[in-house]
Amino acid sequence: VIREGNEARKKEHKGGRTRKMSAGHFSPLAKEKRRNREQMNLELKNQFEYMSKFPLPLRMPKYAELTANKRGFSLTFKDDSWDGTVIDAFCKISVTKSLLGRVSVKKQHGQSKGIRSIVDVGSSKPNGKGQIDTSTPRVIVASISAEGGKQGIMVGDVVSHINGSQFYGSACDLVQKINSSDGELLTFAFNADAAVAEALRRRWLLSNPKKK
């Protein structure tokens, strides 16, 4: 009986040690999943560092197709002005409407080391705003409906082109053009303006120093 008990304890001890050894070793599939996870985390880290160093403009160019309807269009518009700077491309534009119906525009410039580096590329004055033009009137989106939102349009987007042609005019001019095209499908380009174009050009120069 004693001998049988000792043998049983030896088997139990041996089995426990085998289980511990198995638990301490990963299967080939588990090792592959672990490597993939580590690789994905590394790629995400590198991407985050790259975007922090070379940030994209807050207002990226976008395209939309909307049907003109003089009884109620998908967007409303507001007159605005571009100050002629590159840093405007990194500006968050918000539009608010008071209880009395007064519409106001607020602009908040992005502040980061990456934005500063892009704006300063080619600028004669470091730590400036990257002045490239004089103040110019423009039209921005003041509000959007569900149809416009589904196409990625946002409040503060700059109306740069309509039906393939660059738009010059006021918000009133734009509304009149839409009303005169009742029932037609109109194409719009937003944020394809000089500030965004120059910001993207300077970003490319900064990220490709050998090609300057």
Side-chain angles (χ1 to χ4, degrees), residues 63-78:
Y63 171 86
E65 296 181 350
L66 300 169
T67 302
N69 187 345
K70 62 182 179 182
R71 289 172 295 181
F73 191 56
S74 304
L75 312 173
T76 63
F77 307 98
K78 170 71 175 170

PDB file of all heavy atoms in Angstrom, residues 63-78:
ATOM      1  N   TYR A  63     -15.152  66.013 -52.100  1.00  0.00           N
ATOM      2  CA  TYR A  63     -16.048  66.143 -53.253  1.00  0.00           C
ATOM      3  C   TYR A  63     -17.439  65.642 -52.856  1.00  0.00           C
ATOM      4  O   TYR A  63     -17.577  64.679 -52.091  1.00  0.00           O
ATOM      5  CB  TYR A  63     -15.501  65.318 -54.417  1.00  0.00           C
ATOM      6  CG  TYR A  63     -16.423  65.189 -55.610  1.00  0.00           C
ATOM      7  CD1 TYR A  63     -16.441  66.164 -56.609  1.00  0.00           C
ATOM      8  CD2 TYR A  63     -17.253  64.079 -55.746  1.00  0.00           C
ATOM      9  CE1 TYR A  63     -17.279  66.028 -57.716  1.00  0.00           C
ATOM     10  CE2 TYR A  63     -18.088  63.939 -56.841  1.00  0.00           C
ATOM     11  CZ  TYR A  63     -18.101  64.923 -57.821  1.00  0.00           C
ATOM     12  OH  TYR A  63     -18.931  64.778 -58.905  1.00  0.00           O
ATOM     13  N   ALA A  64     -18.474  66.319 -53.371  1.00  0.00           N
ATOM     14  CA  ALA A  64     -19.842  65.890 -53.065  1.00  0.00           C
ATOM     15  C   ALA A  64     -20.765  66.193 -54.235  1.00  0.00           C
ATOM     16  O   ALA A  64     -20.526  67.125 -55.004  1.00  0.00           O
ATOM     17  CB  ALA A  64     -20.344  66.591 -51.801  1.00  0.00           C
ATOM     18  N   GLU A  65     -21.817  65.395 -54.352  1.00  0.00           N
ATOM     19  CA  GLU A  65     -22.850  65.607 -55.361  1.00  0.00           C
ATOM     20  C   GLU A  65     -24.182  65.808 -54.642  1.00  0.00           C
ATOM     21  O   GLU A  65     -24.619  64.942 -53.871  1.00  0.00           O
ATOM     22  CB  GLU A  65     -22.929  64.411 -56.310  1.00  0.00           C
ATOM     23  CG  GLU A  65     -21.668  64.199 -57.142  1.00  0.00           C
ATOM     24  CD  GLU A  65     -21.792  63.016 -58.077  1.00  0.00           C
ATOM     25  OE1 GLU A  65     -22.775  62.247 -57.940  1.00  0.00           O
ATOM     26  OE2 GLU A  65     -20.927  62.843 -58.952  1.00  0.00           O
ATOM     27  N   LEU A  66     -24.826  66.947 -54.892  1.00  0.00           N
ATOM     28  CA  LEU A  66     -26.077  67.282 -54.220  1.00  0.00           C
ATOM     29  C   LEU A  66     -27.104  67.779 -55.232  1.00  0.00           C
ATOM     30  O   LEU A  66     -26.752  68.492 -56.172  1.00  0.00           O
ATOM     31  CB  LEU A  66     -25.833  68.354 -53.154  1.00  0.00           C
ATOM     32  CG  LEU A  66     -24.849  67.996 -52.032  1.00  0.00           C
ATOM     33  CD1 LEU A  66     -24.504  69.229 -51.213  1.00  0.00           C
ATOM     34  CD2 LEU A  66     -25.436  66.909 -51.144  1.00  0.00           C
ATOM     35  N   THR A  67     -28.338  67.411 -55.030  1.00  0.00           N
ATOM     36  CA  THR A  67     -29.406  67.838 -55.926  1.00  0.00           C
ATOM     37  C   THR A  67     -29.928  69.202 -55.496  1.00  0.00           C
ATOM     38  O   THR A  67     -30.283  69.406 -54.329  1.00  0.00           O
ATOM     39  CB  THR A  67     -30.560  66.823 -55.924  1.00  0.00           C
ATOM     40  OG1 THR A  67     -30.058  65.545 -56.324  1.00  0.00           O
ATOM     41  CG2 THR A  67     -31.657  67.251 -56.886  1.00  0.00           C
ATOM     42  N   ALA A  68     -29.963  70.145 -56.437  1.00  0.00           N
ATOM     43  CA  ALA A  68     -30.446  71.491 -56.144  1.00  0.00           C
ATOM     44  C   ALA A  68     -31.936  71.467 -55.858  1.00  0.00           C
ATOM     45  O   ALA A  68     -32.708  70.832 -56.573  1.00  0.00           O
ATOM     46  CB  ALA A  68     -30.147  72.419 -57.318  1.00  0.00           C
ATOM     47  N   ASN A  69     -32.320  72.180 -54.814  1.00  0.00           N
ATOM     48  CA  ASN A  69     -33.733  72.258 -54.436  1.00  0.00           C
ATOM     49  C   ASN A  69     -33.967  73.623 -53.798  1.00  0.00           C
ATOM     50  O   ASN A  69     -33.540  73.876 -52.677  1.00  0.00           O
ATOM     51  CB  ASN A  69     -34.099  71.142 -53.463  1.00  0.00           C
ATOM     52  CG  ASN A  69     -35.587  71.091 -53.174  1.00  0.00           C
ATOM     53  OD1 ASN A  69     -36.326  72.035 -53.467  1.00  0.00           O
ATOM     54  ND2 ASN A  69     -36.044  69.985 -52.596  1.00  0.00           N
ATOM     55  N   LYS A  70     -34.622  74.505 -54.516  1.00  0.00           N
ATOM     56  CA  LYS A  70     -34.805  75.869 -54.025  1.00  0.00           C
ATOM     57  C   LYS A  70     -35.752  75.943 -52.823  1.00  0.00           C
ATOM     58  O   LYS A  70     -35.789  76.939 -52.115  1.00  0.00           O
ATOM     59  CB  LYS A  70     -35.305  76.775 -55.145  1.00  0.00           C
ATOM     60  CG  LYS A  70     -36.661  76.389 -55.730  1.00  0.00           C
ATOM     61  CD  LYS A  70     -37.025  77.334 -56.871  1.00  0.00           C
ATOM     62  CE  LYS A  70     -38.372  76.974 -57.501  1.00  0.00           C
ATOM     63  NZ  LYS A  70     -38.698  77.876 -58.632  1.00  0.00           N
ATOM     64  N   ARG A  71     -36.499  74.865 -52.595  1.00  0.00           N
ATOM     65  CA  ARG A  71     -37.393  74.853 -51.430  1.00  0.00           C
ATOM     66  C   ARG A  71     -36.671  74.430 -50.155  1.00  0.00           C
ATOM     67  O   ARG A  71     -37.197  74.581 -49.060  1.00  0.00           O
ATOM     68  CB  ARG A  71     -38.564  73.898 -51.691  1.00  0.00           C
ATOM     69  CG  ARG A  71     -39.564  74.413 -52.718  1.00  0.00           C
ATOM     70  CD  ARG A  71     -40.576  73.371 -53.080  1.00  0.00           C
ATOM     71  NE  ARG A  71     -39.952  72.238 -53.768  1.00  0.00           N
ATOM     72  CZ  ARG A  71     -40.631  71.180 -54.213  1.00  0.00           C
ATOM     73  NH1 ARG A  71     -41.942  71.109 -54.030  1.00  0.00           N
ATOM     74  NH2 ARG A  71     -40.010  70.212 -54.839  1.00  0.00           N
ATOM     75  N   GLY A  72     -35.467  73.931 -50.298  1.00  0.00           N
ATOM     76  CA  GLY A  72     -34.706  73.522 -49.119  1.00  0.00           C
ATOM     77  C   GLY A  72     -33.486  72.722 -49.513  1.00  0.00           C
ATOM     78  O   GLY A  72     -33.568  71.513 -49.744  1.00  0.00           O
ATOM     79  N   PHE A  73     -32.354  73.407 -49.632  1.00  0.00           N
ATOM     80  CA  PHE A  73     -31.114  72.741 -50.049  1.00  0.00           C
ATOM     81  C   PHE A  73     -30.467  72.050 -48.851  1.00  0.00           C
ATOM     82  O   PHE A  73     -30.775  72.345 -47.694  1.00  0.00           O
ATOM     83  CB  PHE A  73     -30.166  73.759 -50.673  1.00  0.00           C
ATOM     84  CG  PHE A  73     -28.982  73.161 -51.371  1.00  0.00           C
ATOM     85  CD1 PHE A  73     -29.160  72.244 -52.384  1.00  0.00           C
ATOM     86  CD2 PHE A  73     -27.697  73.498 -50.990  1.00  0.00           C
ATOM     87  CE1 PHE A  73     -28.070  71.675 -53.035  1.00  0.00           C
ATOM     88  CE2 PHE A  73     -26.601  72.949 -51.633  1.00  0.00           C
ATOM     89  CZ  PHE A  73     -26.785  72.027 -52.651  1.00  0.00           C
ATOM     90  N   SER A  74     -29.545  71.132 -49.143  1.00  0.00           N
ATOM     91  CA  SER A  74     -28.894  70.341 -48.097  1.00  0.00           C
ATOM     92  C   SER A  74     -27.941  71.163 -47.231  1.00  0.00           C
ATOM     93  O   SER A  74     -27.591  70.729 -46.129  1.00  0.00           O
ATOM     94  CB  SER A  74     -28.114  69.175 -48.728  1.00  0.00           C
ATOM     95  OG  SER A  74     -28.956  68.385 -49.530  1.00  0.00           O
ATOM     96  N   LEU A  75     -27.508  72.318 -47.729  1.00  0.00           N
ATOM     97  CA  LEU A  75     -26.527  73.134 -47.019  1.00  0.00           C
ATOM     98  C   LEU A  75     -27.006  74.578 -46.920  1.00  0.00           C
ATOM     99  O   LEU A  75     -27.779  75.040 -47.749  1.00  0.00           O
ATOM    100  CB  LEU A  75     -25.176  73.118 -47.745  1.00  0.00           C
ATOM    101  CG  LEU A  75     -24.599  71.765 -48.184  1.00  0.00           C
ATOM    102  CD1 LEU A  75     -23.363  71.983 -49.028  1.00  0.00           C
ATOM    103  CD2 LEU A  75     -24.266  70.909 -46.964  1.00  0.00           C
ATOM    104  N   THR A  76     -26.517  75.263 -45.894  1.00  0.00           N
ATOM    105  CA  THR A  76     -26.643  76.721 -45.849  1.00  0.00           C
ATOM    106  C   THR A  76     -25.228  77.279 -45.810  1.00  0.00           C
ATOM    107  O   THR A  76     -24.276  76.574 -45.439  1.00  0.00           O
ATOM    108  CB  THR A  76     -27.439  77.209 -44.622  1.00  0.00           C
ATOM    109  OG1 THR A  76     -26.725  76.838 -43.423  1.00  0.00           O
ATOM    110  CG2 THR A  76     -28.833  76.608 -44.607  1.00  0.00           C
ATOM    111  N   PHE A  77     -25.089  78.555 -46.192  1.00  0.00           N
ATOM    112  CA  PHE A  77     -23.754  79.121 -46.380  1.00  0.00           C
ATOM    113  C   PHE A  77     -23.589  80.440 -45.621  1.00  0.00           C
ATOM    114  O   PHE A  77     -24.567  81.103 -45.262  1.00  0.00           O
ATOM    115  CB  PHE A  77     -23.489  79.330 -47.872  1.00  0.00           C
ATOM    116  CG  PHE A  77     -23.712  78.091 -48.699  1.00  0.00           C
ATOM    117  CD1 PHE A  77     -24.906  77.891 -49.393  1.00  0.00           C
ATOM    118  CD2 PHE A  77     -22.742  77.112 -48.767  1.00  0.00           C
ATOM    119  CE1 PHE A  77     -25.126  76.750 -50.141  1.00  0.00           C
ATOM    120  CE2 PHE A  77     -22.944  75.964 -49.522  1.00  0.00           C
ATOM    121  CZ  PHE A  77     -24.139  75.785 -50.202  1.00  0.00           C
ATOM    122  N   LYS A  78     -22.328  80.784 -45.411  1.00  0.00           N
ATOM    123  CA  LYS A  78     -22.003  82.007 -44.689  1.00  0.00           C
ATOM    124  C   LYS A  78     -20.795  82.663 -45.341  1.00  0.00           C
ATOM    125  O   LYS A  78     -19.814  81.992 -45.685  1.00  0.00           O
ATOM    126  CB  LYS A  78     -21.674  81.657 -43.227  1.00  0.00           C
ATOM    127  CG  LYS A  78     -21.095  82.782 -42.393  1.00  0.00           C
ATOM    128  CD  LYS A  78     -22.105  83.845 -42.063  1.00  0.00           C
ATOM    129  CE  LYS A  78     -21.513  84.895 -41.116  1.00  0.00           C
ATOM    130  NZ  LYS A  78     -22.404  86.066 -40.958  1.00  0.00           N
TER     131      LYS A  78
END
